[in-house]
Amino acid sequence: MTYPLEGLTIIDLSQIYNGPYATYLLALGGADVIKIEPPGGESLRRRAVVGGAALPFAMLNGCKQSIVLNLKTEAGKDALRALVASADVIVENFAPGVMDRLGLGADALMNLNPRLIYASSSGFGRDGPYKSYPAMDLTVQAMSGVMHTTGFPDRPPVKAGPAVADFFAGTHLYGAIITALFDRQRTGVARRVEVTMQDAVYASLSSSLGLHWGSQDQDKPPRTGNRHAGLAESPYNVYPTTDGYIAIICVGETHWRSLSRLMDADVLADDPRFATLQARVAHMDLIDAAVTDWTSRQATAALFDMLMAAHVPCAPVRTLDEVMNDDNMHTRGSLLHLDHPDLGPIVVQQSPFVFDGVPRVPLRASRRLGADTTAVLRDRAGLDEAGIAAASRNI
């Protein structure tokens, strides 16, 4: 049995969410990922002193080796070059220009190893007018339109709860790396690849962009709350129940008529104001009021069962605790309980990719900082004890 990416060596200089998620997916594909951190650890590891902030690092850095290199020293730079000489991919998400200033940019490392794929990700790219802008998930959400389209029209913009810019970029970065590996296999040419967080987010705005493009009021904020982002479906909303909330959407006439029957309101289905999708969208306030009146008298679980039996698309609004213990994801092996040596029992995600005939890579807990420094630098970079100490020490 061979894992899809077995035999590939990935040098991982990335930090926080964006790059580490891409390299985590590579590790779960069977690649050998060597995570390099500065003395003291990368930013996400250092954040672990705050509340539950240790969990994200553990989630995104399992199945990787951990070594410490001080890239501000010549010994640390030389050690990185030695590792790169036999690697397939290097991944970094520093601000544009940082690696070049260290003498470790794409040109330098790819000249050293012509088969090296140099993969980078940043907020806004290395060659545009925004290249020096700070790129955190929040700032990219603000710049990319995510915040402008999130929330309710009569309230200020808000960020999306998940770190969408980081993880969209990480997923795209993984895809870019795999595409470059395929290209190298086919042509023998190794390329530099780049993904920006801003670019990765844009397509997700599709419904909001359509609403804006078709609007007569171009200055109106395209925030639609829990309604369809393009205001092109009705009913489409989150409705209250006696003990929570439930999301309901009718994407076709069959769904709408089924919902009307459940509500004991066939008159709605026959009302000319609701006879077509276009008509329902024009009268969505009336529809939402009617659906709210009905759902607010039902318990969430019973209502969900009733709607599912009638094939009306719906879902209860679930808590994070319910999501972490999701029966479907645990049954499929997508979520796993892991006994972490530092954190104790935690829930971590397996790879979203499932390949027939190949079981998922067994999960291993994230390593303590520098746990593999000696072994990796000795075996892969050929350093002796003094060289390892010089490459990894703080200054």
Side-chain angles (χ1 to χ4, degrees):
M1 181 188 67
T2 302
Y3 292 110
L5 304 182
E6 191 170 322
L8 294 174
T9 299
I10 314 296
I11 304 300
D12 180 11
L13 292 171
S14 64
Q15 55 186 329
I16 312 291
Y17 293 159
N18 175 344
Y21 185 59
T23 55
Y24 182 56
L25 294 176
L26 293 167
L28 294 183
D32 187 8
V33 177
I34 301 170
K35 184 175 179 69
I36 298 175
E37 300 179 64
E42 63 124 307
S43 299
L44 189 58
R45 188 191 288 271
R46 296 198 306 271
R47 194 187 294 173
V49 297
V50 181
L55 180 63
F57 184 90
M59 286 176 55
L60 297 177
N61 290 287
C63 295
K64 302 177 186 179
Q65 299 177 77
S66 172
I67 75 170
V68 171
L69 285 183
N70 190 341
L71 298 182
K72 296 179 179 179
T73 68
E74 288 307 313
K77 295 175 185 179
D78 287 342
L80 178 64
R81 294 184 185 106
L83 293 174
V84 163
S86 59
D88 294 284
V89 183
I90 186 168
V91 183
E92 57 94 351
N93 62 336
F94 298 121
V98 167
M99 291 291 282
D100 288 317
R101 289 194 293 272
L102 291 170
L104 301 170
D107 290 342
L109 296 183
M110 295 174 76
N111 284 335
L112 176 66
N113 176 0
R115 285 183 54 78
L116 181 71
I117 291 165
Y118 188 104
S120 64
S121 185
S122 63
F124 304 100
R126 70 184 191 274
D127 55 1
Y130 300 169
K131 63 184 179 182
S132 63
Y133 285 11
M136 302 297 178
D137 189 84
L138 180 65
T139 63
V140 177
Q141 284 200 33
M143 288 289 290
S144 67
V146 172
M147 288 181 65
H148 188 56
T149 59
T150 303
F152 291 86
D154 58 342
R155 303 179 200 174
V158 297
K159 74 177 184 68
V164 292
D166 269 323
F167 283 94
F168 281 16
T171 304
H172 282 76
L173 183 59
Y174 171 86
I177 291 168
I178 295 299
T179 303
L181 286 166
F182 176 78
D183 187 37
R184 189 187 72 175
Q185 177 69 24
R186 186 179 57 179
T187 67
V189 176
R191 303 184 187 278
R192 179 174 187 172
V193 299
E194 180 187 29
V195 169
T196 76
M197 296 162 73
Q198 184 183 33
D199 291 349
V201 163
Y202 188 84
S204 70
L205 301 171
S206 292
S207 292
S208 298
L209 292 169
L211 176 64
H212 174 72
W213 182 72
S215 174
Q216 300 301 312
D217 183 359
Q218 296 289 300
D219 295 325
K220 181 180 179 181
R223 292 189 288 278
T224 62
N226 291 316
R227 286 175 167 173
H228 184 257
L231 295 180
E233 300 279 1
S234 181
Y236 182 120
N237 215 325
V238 173
Y239 302 95
T241 64
T242 59
D243 57 353
Y245 296 89
I246 191 165
I248 300 174
I249 171 176
C250 294
V251 296
E253 299 305 316
T254 301
H255 295 147
W256 167 239
R257 289 192 171 275
S258 296
L259 177 63
S260 299
R261 283 194 295 271
L262 289 177
M263 294 169 60
D264 197 23
D266 286 334
V267 64
L268 290 178
D270 296 328
D271 191 315
R273 294 175 299 174
F274 312 131
T276 65
L277 173 61
Q278 186 176 13
R280 290 193 293 276
V281 167
H283 296 92
M284 63 173 59
D285 287 342
L286 294 176
I287 286 181
D288 278 345
V291 177
T292 295
D293 179 67
W294 179 64
T295 62
S296 61
R297 292 179 275 113
Q298 318 285 332
T300 304
L303 181 56
F304 175 62
D305 289 342
M306 185 192 313
L307 289 166
M308 291 296 285
H311 306 292
V312 176
C314 66
V317 177
R318 299 166 70 195
T319 67
L320 288 181
D321 188 67
E322 290 172 323
V323 173
M324 289 178 70
N325 292 284
D326 181 82
D327 183 57
N328 186 59
M329 294 188 76
H330 281 280
T331 298
R332 300 183 66 250
S334 303
L335 290 179
L336 297 172
H337 294 283
L338 182 69
D339 190 13
H340 194 279
D342 298 319
L343 306 180
I346 61 174
V347 175
V348 294
Q349 184 185 15
Q350 251 289 2
S351 173
F353 306 129
V354 179
F355 301 96
D356 278 359
V358 183
R360 285 164 162 161
V361 171
L363 290 186
R364 303 190 307 275
S366 60
R367 302 282 280 164
R368 289 173 176 159
L369 178 63
D372 305 294
T373 301
T374 297
V376 170
L377 294 184
R378 181 190 63 226
D379 298 343
R380 290 179 177 267
L383 299 186
D384 58 18
E385 187 173 329
I388 292 170
S392 58
R393 71 171 182 266
N394 202 355
I395 55 173

